[in-house]
Amino acid sequence: MWQLLLESYWLLLCMGFAMKRQDGMRVLHKVVCSQAVVPEKSALSSNPGVLCHAMDLACVFYLRRVLCLQRSAATTVLLRRHGFPAQMVVGVKQKPFRSHAWVEAGGSIVNDKPYLREIYQELERC
Amino acid sequence: MLRSPIEEQEMSIILGIANLDNTPIKELELHRFAEHTKTYALDGTFVHAAGSIAMGYQPYHTTVRSQFEVQPWSDDRENILVFDGRLDNHSELAQLLSMENSGNADSLLVLAAFERWGEDCFERLIGDWSLAIWSAAQRALYLARDHAGMRTLFYQLRGRRLVWSTYLETFLQSGEELSLDEEFAARYLGGLPIRTTTPYLGVRAVPPAQFMRFNEWGVRSGCHWNHMVREKLVYKDAGEYDDHFLELLQRSVRRRDTPGSSILAELSGGMDSTGIVCVSDLVRRRNNQEAPLIDTVSLYDSSEPDWNELPYINATEKYRGKTGVHIPTSYLERSFEFLEQSPCFPYPGHDSNARQREEVYEAHIAQDEYRVVLSGIGGDELLGGVPTPYPDLADQLASLHIRTFLKRTVQWCLSSRDAFLPTILRTFRYTFNLYQHPLFESTMVAPWTSHRTYELCADLARDEEKEYARVGYPPSSIGNSRSWLSILETLPHLWPKSTVRREYRYPYLDRDLVEFLFRVPREQLVQPGRRRAMMRRALKSVMPLEVVERRRKGFIGRGPHALIQREQPNINKLLTSPLIESIGLVDVSKLKMILQTICSGNETAWTMAFLRTMAFELWLRADPGHLDRSRYLVAEAFNPLDGANKILTTHAAS
């Protein structure tokens, strides 16, 4: 678990650094899209839940509150590196205007409330 | 004279006059006074005058025991009482007083209790009540309300003459013009709690959980119940808290779901109202499997994306095997068009179509002649409220349970995806802020208030903060106190309708239940990722699963914005030369800026406050002459006897 925790923390730092750049959103998008799904599942985890929990713990001990985009981008990359075909989804709702990002794997939301699709309209996925 | 008098009144009224300089009063005088509420006195008017005191009672019976009432009561010692309400502990009181319970009215028990214990009797009265007692021995008049103010009682002291009444309309019918109370206006427009103020200078509400004593030497008030607690209950396991909660909730519902009147329960689809309805079914069917179930009424708005309550309402009705009345509603039914013949309400808050909406509501339910409404108000705040970690963490911190504090911080952070160190810092800040005062911040007041109104709001908020004790109380108790006071502002019977006013009963505000809930450790009520933890555990076998496991609370988000955007032309007309600006309450330019923000589709926290302000403007315009705006005054400190004594307030020991 410590290894997963450190890896998650590192990914959060990378995503945080990417977001700070002037073209941060584009860089983030590119980083996530460029991460291919590793063909074989990692020995460290047998299901996405363990990886998501490691990411949640890393968020708890991060320097500041981790927002949904940074967390979901890092989680997507983490899952793909461990053999899970995850996708980051960005959704919006209109009144009042809100956007949110989450991760889906196998057709289910893995890192957030399961009913988010009822609240937000999907804008893009990568 | 009201333009549109209340058509049907369904609550008892107590009223009276006391001349504190011992000038005699004749019954005829009170009869003339009672004429103003005679329209509502469907069961007659009963008056008693003795010396300088005259009391009146206009009953409307809602319980079996109320049929025994013969008021005003006067005993051998020339004490006189009028009592509006219901005693829940009448059996225990009768036993303590060595009196027969059956066949004795609640008012008789109250008078006997006052004779035995004096002022200390009020803390022994459990139920929903308000009363006026004249003590011949002390030559003093007492006005008092129950712990939550579930019956209204207003008073006005002019010189040496005290007048009181259940309803505000009584004070408007005297023919005298009243000044607008700037404190009320500041609170209302600034978004502060109203507390005991009314729109009319000099007319005040008796505070909940307090009594007021009037005599020729002055006025004194005292608390008979204190909502702040120091100790917490420690039970063996969570199941014991659940069992005790369920038992108290059943008792509370049983006290309020009484024979003697037709009762209607509000069923919103939320956990609170569903809990009351389902517990009522449990209680009714316990002794008689064939007993009819309580009737329900549900309002719904299918156009609100975040307030889709119909599935939960239907699930509950399917679970119960009984369908209730469904009434569609929408924020868009409101209007801010000023009509010359707008009905006048004693309180602001109504839009131009308020009366039509009430008539539609009554058309749906009136055929069953309901006298009582069961409401789930208060359940959310008392059973955990917003699932924030800070009250729980602050309790651990304040009691120096550091290991538990750190462990629970991690649990809360995992659940809310917050960071550990910032959460700890925020906990320290939250705890520190609870114990220091004043807690006033400029963001608490609506930004369009005039400078004078803003300063008044700031003074009121700071003075209020100083009144409440903090030292020696755990952080969650201070938080509970704030929740309790905010609940008391939202009770629907305080903002009565213009057509029918039924008796409201609030099972979650039962005194025994409230005292228990304030002593339950916070970690039982709310857990990380699990709001209403205790309520869900306790009621899971009583309520439908869909409601018990509701993921989140519904809220209205779209309607107010859409209403303002649609009504922009009417609102602009109102803002052309608004009365609220001419009497110095608001800065209209800032109000127009907020209107522009809302109509542009941008988010603002002030939408509801904006609607309230426009309702206030409509109310001022519709005033038929009760208010003398030319004498609009800055409210002075309340000075009951021509500059004499200050009101002394004593607080009950905790």
Side-chain angles (χ1 to χ4, degrees):
Chain A
M1 188 62 169
W2 277 106
Q3 196 172 335
L4 288 175
L5 192 58
L6 287 170
E7 185 180 356
S8 302
Y9 206 91
W10 172 247
L11 285 171
L12 282 174
L13 283 170
C14 293
M15 298 303 167
F17 181 71
M19 286 171 71
K20 278 195 177 337
R21 289 165 57 114
Q22 200 171 357
D23 55 348
M25 302 308 292
R26 193 183 61 80
V27 169
L28 198 76
H29 191 269
K30 193 175 171 187
V31 166
V32 172
C33 290
S34 63
Q35 175 64 52
V37 179
V38 167
E40 286 174 9
K41 290 212 171 30
S42 155
L44 288 174
S45 76
S46 56
N47 70 72
V50 174
L51 294 167
C52 290
H53 183 63
M55 183 59 69
D56 286 343
L57 272 174
C59 288
V60 169
F61 293 105
Y62 197 68
L63 310 163
R64 53 175 171 77
R65 186 183 179 122
V66 178
L67 298 180
C68 58
L69 189 62
Q70 181 183 1
R71 186 182 77 243
S72 297
T75 306
T76 306
V77 169
L78 182 70
L79 285 168
R80 287 179 182 174
R81 282 162 65 129
H82 288 268
F84 296 98
Q87 286 182 305
M88 184 174 78
V89 183
V90 176
V92 291
K93 76 178 221 177
Q94 285 198 337
K95 280 182 182 176
F97 180 80
R98 292 247 196 284
S99 62
H100 190 50
W102 62 88
V103 180
E104 292 184 11
S108 305
I109 298 175
V110 295
N111 76 330
D112 211 320
K113 299 177 183 61
Y115 50 86
L116 284 177
R117 278 181 290 216
E118 294 170 29
I119 304 171
Y120 295 95
Q121 201 172 353
E122 184 179 316
L123 201 58
E124 70 162 329
R125 59 174 61 220
C126 55
Chain B
M1 183 70 90
L2 290 175
R3 285 184 195 157
S4 302
I6 295 169
E7 292 172 358
E8 197 173 339
Q9 193 65 48
E10 299 199 27
M11 282 185 63
S12 296
I13 301 170
I14 61 174
L15 66 167
I17 306 173
N19 283 339
L20 300 175
D21 58 1
N22 300 318
T23 310
I25 298 176
K26 292 186 183 146
E27 266 191 25
L28 188 61
E29 194 176 349
L30 188 59
H31 268 295
R32 278 202 293 266
F33 190 62
E35 278 293 320
H36 304 312
T37 46
K38 203 174 179 182
T39 314
Y40 328 131
L42 301 181
D43 284 336
T45 298
F46 305 91
V47 167
H48 175 73
S52 57
I53 303 295
M55 294 204 188
Y57 178 60
Q58 294 169 318
Y60 198 85
H61 301 297
T62 57
T63 64
V64 169
R65 287 180 62 81
S66 69
Q67 307 289 344
F68 302 140
E69 292 290 350
V70 179
Q71 293 188 45
W73 271 111
S74 179
D75 65 11
D76 297 337
R77 293 173 179 78
E78 296 180 355
N79 298 325
I80 311 172
L81 164 79
V82 279
F83 177 84
D84 168 30
R86 181 196 78 249
L87 280 184
D88 293 327
N89 63 334
H90 50 83
S91 305
E92 294 84 354
L93 266 181
Q95 204 168 12
L96 282 171
L97 294 166
S98 306
M99 292 172 68
E100 284 291 321
N101 183 37
S102 60
N104 270 335
D106 287 347
S107 53
L108 193 60
L109 292 174
V110 170
L111 202 53
F114 181 77
E115 185 57 35
R116 171 81 70 89
W117 294 300
E119 290 174 1
D120 293 338
C121 78
F122 301 124
E123 65 184 3
R124 296 170 185 264
L125 306 179
I126 297 179
D128 306 349
W129 53 267
S130 66
L131 57 82
I133 295 181
W134 167 253
S135 167
Q138 300 175 42
R139 298 211 59 76
L141 185 105
Y142 286 86
L143 298 178
R145 288 168 80 192
D146 63 57
H147 69 293
M150 289 183 276
R151 300 295 171 104
T152 53
L153 186 58
F154 301 98
Y155 69 94
Q156 181 186 35
L157 186 59
R158 278 195 171 176
R160 302 274 171 159
R161 185 180 175 92
L162 174 70
V163 172
W164 69 91
S165 175
T166 299
Y167 282 125
L168 212 53
E169 283 87 340
T170 306
F171 303 93
L172 306 182
Q173 305 283 13
S174 63
E176 296 175 42
E177 279 181 325
L178 297 167
S179 296
L180 178 68
D181 187 342
E182 192 187 30
E183 182 182 340
F184 172 87
R187 287 177 177 275
Y188 188 88
L189 294 171
L192 297 185
I194 301 301
R195 299 287 184 245
T196 60
T197 60
T198 73
Y200 311 101
L201 187 65
V203 180
R204 288 266 169 155
V206 176
Q210 291 192 28
F211 62 88
M212 299 187 77
R213 180 182 185 267
F214 300 84
N215 61 16
E216 60 184 307
W217 298 288
V219 185
R220 181 171 62 85
S221 67
C223 287
H224 61 79
W225 184 77
N226 188 0
H227 56 271
M228 293 202 60
V229 299
R230 285 201 168 89
E231 71 283 0
K232 294 288 181 184
L233 294 170
V234 179
Y235 287 175
K236 199 169 57 179
D237 55 39
E240 291 195 4
Y241 293 104
D242 304 345
D243 291 341
H244 196 176
F245 165 67
L246 184 57
E247 192 239 314
L248 286 172
L249 183 60
Q250 287 182 70
R251 189 203 296 180
S252 171
V253 170
R254 202 165 44 239
R255 284 171 169 175
R256 285 157 180 82
D257 186 12
T258 53
S261 59
S262 191
I263 301 178
L264 183 66
E266 291 178 338
L267 180 65
S268 67
M271 291 182 68
D272 301 322
S273 57
T274 307
I276 287 169
V277 167
C278 292
V279 168
S280 165
D281 291 350
L282 186 70
V283 167
R284 285 187 179 204
R285 290 272 163 101
R286 177 164 290 150
N287 295 326
N288 177 6
Q289 283 296 315
E290 302 302 318
L293 300 181
I294 199 168
D295 293 340
T296 61
V297 62
S298 304
L299 299 176
Y300 69 95
D301 182 356
S302 304
S303 67
E304 279 286 342
D306 296 307
W307 196 56
N308 183 17
E309 301 299 284
L310 267 181
Y312 301 105
I313 295 169
N314 291 335
T316 303
E317 290 175 349
K318 188 178 169 188
Y319 182 86
R320 302 176 71 216
K322 179 169 184 172
T323 306
V325 175
H326 295 181
I327 304 175
T329 184
S330 170
Y331 249 89
L332 294 175
E333 291 169 357
R334 294 159 203 245
S335 164
F336 290 98
E337 181 186 359
F338 176 64
L339 307 169
E340 285 302 324
Q341 293 303 315
S342 289
C344 173
F345 303 91
Y347 276 104
H350 297 85
D351 63 284
S352 312
N353 292 341
R355 194 179 170 86
Q356 282 93 306
R357 286 201 304 281
E358 288 180 23
E359 287 166 356
V360 166
Y361 181 91
E362 290 305 317
H364 275 92
I365 66 165
Q367 65 273 14
D368 290 301
E369 297 184 354
Y370 297 107
R371 299 188 178 198
V372 173
V373 176
L374 278 193
S375 167
I377 295 260
D380 189 27
E381 295 86 343
L382 293 170
L383 284 156
V386 176
T388 165
Y390 302 111
D392 177 17
L393 296 179
D395 274 357
Q396 306 299 337
L397 183 66
S399 55
L400 297 177
H401 294 150
I402 302 301
R403 256 183 96 173
T404 312
F405 168 66
L406 293 173
K407 184 177 160 191
R408 292 189 68 80
T409 302
V410 172
Q411 288 171 343
W412 277 106
C413 287
L414 273 173
S415 160
S416 59
R417 295 204 173 85
D418 211 338
F420 183 78
L421 278 176
T423 299
I424 290 191
L425 289 173
R426 280 196 291 270
T427 304
F428 272 96
R429 193 170 347 136
Y430 171 85
T431 311
F432 178 71
N433 283 342
L434 279 181
Y435 287 99
Q436 69 144 16
H437 53 73
L439 205 58
F440 176 74
E441 293 169 22
S442 60
T443 49
M444 288 163 66
V445 180
W448 52 76
T449 48
S450 65
H451 179 73
R452 186 176 79 194
T453 304
Y454 175 85
E455 289 297 327
L456 183 54
C457 286
D459 290 340
L460 290 169
R462 288 192 192 106
D463 288 344
E464 206 164 271
E465 282 292 325
K466 286 175 191 163
E467 282 181 23
Y468 299 105
R470 289 173 179 77
V471 177
Y473 292 97
S476 58
S477 290
I478 301 172
N480 285 343
S481 171
R482 296 218 167 114
S483 298
W484 177 249
L485 294 173
S486 76
I487 291 170
L488 299 190
E489 294 283 320
T490 62
L491 302 181
H493 74 281
L494 299 175
W495 303 93
K497 295 181 179 179
S498 68
T499 49
V500 178
R501 295 181 185 178
R502 293 183 174 82
E503 178 185 317
Y504 270 86
R505 295 178 185 174
Y506 310 99
Y508 288 111
L509 304 192
D510 180 87
R511 204 177 100 174
D512 292 335
L513 180 59
V514 169
E515 288 174 353
F516 165 76
L517 290 173
F518 279 163
R519 285 171 172 81
V520 172
R522 176 82 183 170
E523 66 262 22
Q524 290 295 329
L525 297 175
V526 182
Q527 288 166 358
R530 188 89 173 139
R531 53 187 281 266
R532 312 283 200 107
M534 184 179 76
M535 185 179 190
R536 289 180 204 249
R537 291 192 310 257
L539 296 181
K540 67 177 178 224
S541 61
V542 174
M543 285 165 54
L545 193 65
E546 297 92 324
V547 180
V548 173
E549 293 300 330
R550 265 193 83 149
R551 295 179 301 225
R552 62 200 182 112
K553 196 175 156 72
F555 62 94
I556 294 174
R558 179 188 155 272
H561 281 88
L563 171 68
I564 293 172
Q565 286 167 349
R566 191 198 70 196
E567 290 292 304
Q568 191 179 10
N570 285 329
I571 294 174
N572 278 328
K573 274 189 205 164
L574 289 178
L575 293 180
T576 307
S577 52
L579 290 174
I580 46 178
E581 187 180 48
S582 70
I583 53 178
L585 293 173
V586 305
D587 180 340
V588 168
S589 60
K590 291 183 184 165
L591 199 55
K592 287 178 176 172
M593 277 171 53
I594 297 290
L595 174 63
Q596 200 50 43
T597 303
I598 296 171
C599 292
S600 309
N602 295 322
E603 210 173 306
T604 171
W606 298 107
T607 305
M608 299 309 292
F610 181 88
L611 287 173
R612 206 151 88 149
T613 301
M614 299 321 303
F616 196 88
E617 173 67 22
L618 280 178
W619 176 75
L620 281 177
R621 290 191 184 211
D623 169 54
H626 296 141
L627 289 173
D628 179 8
R629 289 192 285 268
S630 69
R631 288 195 294 125
Y632 175 68
L633 299 169
V634 173
E636 295 163 2
F638 185 67
N639 196 352
L641 289 173
D642 296 325
N645 308 317
K646 282 173 105 173
I647 296 177
L648 303 173
T649 304
T650 57
H651 291 269
S654 61

